């Protein structure tokens, strides 16, 4: 319903420290994808959402994820965001850091083309949120440098692009590595039978 799109961010029930970050970024009203996704995700439901790059989808999954982590702090990596490219991973981490400025939440990006050392440190330090490309995450998994047993929220971002890039087997392996009991948020610009599957 259209009226929800006119509701300000303050009406979504998000943690006050997150709302401070939202306000400083100059966001007043949620975009349609944010207005529809955030309440569903906050309630703990799984979500399959159609969203293009640039629709505000990053905040649509970051805000409810961060809110849930703030509700019950724990020293463990509890949220995993899988995205197709290092550029997207770096951008999501940048958005996370901007939104997290008034919280104690930590995030790290894990992708290929750079040394694995600092990434290993992020895992050892129990970074709250890891943003990763599939291949590099599985490299860490095979070397046992990453513990995904504490994951409570799994986000699959640009799922259709990941399929197009041939990441289907990697995605299935990653899903097998995280706990069965979790919340899954999936964002895709298009919906094929494969995506639905």
């Amino acid at each position: 319903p259209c009226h929800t799109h006119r509701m300000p961010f303050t009406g979504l029930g998000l943690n006050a420290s997150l709302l401070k970050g939202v306000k400083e970024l100059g966001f007043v009203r949620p975009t349609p994808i944010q207005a529809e996704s955030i309440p569903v995700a906050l309630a703990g439901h799984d979500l399959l959402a159609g969203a293009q790059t640039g629709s505000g989808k990053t905040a649509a999954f970051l805000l409810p994820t961060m809110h849930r982590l703030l509700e019950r702090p724990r020293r463990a990596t509890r949220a995993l965001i899988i995205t197709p490219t290092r550029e997207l991973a770096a951008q999501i981490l940048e958005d996370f850091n901007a939104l997290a400025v008034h919280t104690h939440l930590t995030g790290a990006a894990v992708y290929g083309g750079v040394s694995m050392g600092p990434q290993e440190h992020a895992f050892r330090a129990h970074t709250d949120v890891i943003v990763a490309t599939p291949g590099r995450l599985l490299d860490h998994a095979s070397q046992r440098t990453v513990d995904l047993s504490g994951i409570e929220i799994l986000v699959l971002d640009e799922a259709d692009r990941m399929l197009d890039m041939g990441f289907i087997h990697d995605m299935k392996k990653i899903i097998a590595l995280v706990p069965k009991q979790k919340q899954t948020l999936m964002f895709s610009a298009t919906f094929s039978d494969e995506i639905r599957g």
Side-chain angles (χ1 to χ4, degrees):
C2 257
H3 65 268
T4 57
H5 301 161
R6 290 198 289 274
M7 180 171 70
F9 265 103
T10 46
L12 291 171
L14 287 163
N15 182 294
S17 53
L18 289 177
L19 286 174
K20 241 174 127 170
V22 165
K23 191 177 173 193
E24 282 165 18
L25 288 172
F27 301 156
V28 180
R29 294 187 195 291
T31 65
I33 187 69
Q34 291 163 358
E36 288 176 43
S37 301
I38 291 173
V40 175
L42 282 177
H45 300 297
D46 289 348
L47 179 68
L48 179 55
Q52 309 286 344
T53 307
S55 58
K57 72 179 161 65
T58 305
F61 60 73
L62 283 177
L63 286 168
T65 296
M66 294 163 79
H67 175 92
R68 296 196 67 203
L69 299 183
L70 288 166
E71 271 187 323
R72 295 184 302 125
R74 245 173 17 83
R75 270 182 62 72
T77 298
R78 296 164 61 199
L80 176 62
I81 299 164
I82 305 292
T83 195
T85 67
R86 57 182 292 177
E87 290 74 25
L88 271 162
Q91 182 58 58
I92 292 168
L93 181 65
E94 207 174 292
D95 293 347
F96 170 86
N97 287 331
L99 291 168
V101 67
H102 297 292
T103 74
H104 299 299
L105 293 175
T106 54
V110 169
Y111 46 73
V114 293
S115 131
M116 281 175 81
Q119 300 177 356
E120 279 177 39
H121 174 75
F123 292 128
R124 276 202 303 276
H126 304 299
T127 302
D128 296 301
V129 178
I130 296 282
V131 188
T133 52
R136 177 48 70 96
L137 183 73
L138 288 171
D139 290 344
H140 281 285
S142 69
Q143 296 187 16
R144 306 215 187 293
T145 44
V146 53
D147 177 13
L148 300 177
S149 65
I151 297 297
E152 297 170 19
I153 303 167
L154 174 66
V155 180
L156 301 174
D157 182 37
E158 309 226 341
D160 46 350
R161 268 182 74 190
M162 289 201 278
L163 286 188
D164 292 343
M165 290 167 71
F167 284 136
I168 180 77
H169 296 298
D170 286 356
M171 287 162 73
K172 284 181 171 162
K173 278 185 206 158
I174 290 163
I175 290 165
L177 288 172
V178 298
K180 288 249 183 293
Q181 271 306 99
K182 65 180 175 307
Q183 179 179 26
T184 306
L185 309 175
M186 184 153 98
F187 289 79
S188 190
T190 58
F191 290 105
S192 60
D193 290 344
E194 258 189 313
I195 290 282
R196 291 182 199 283

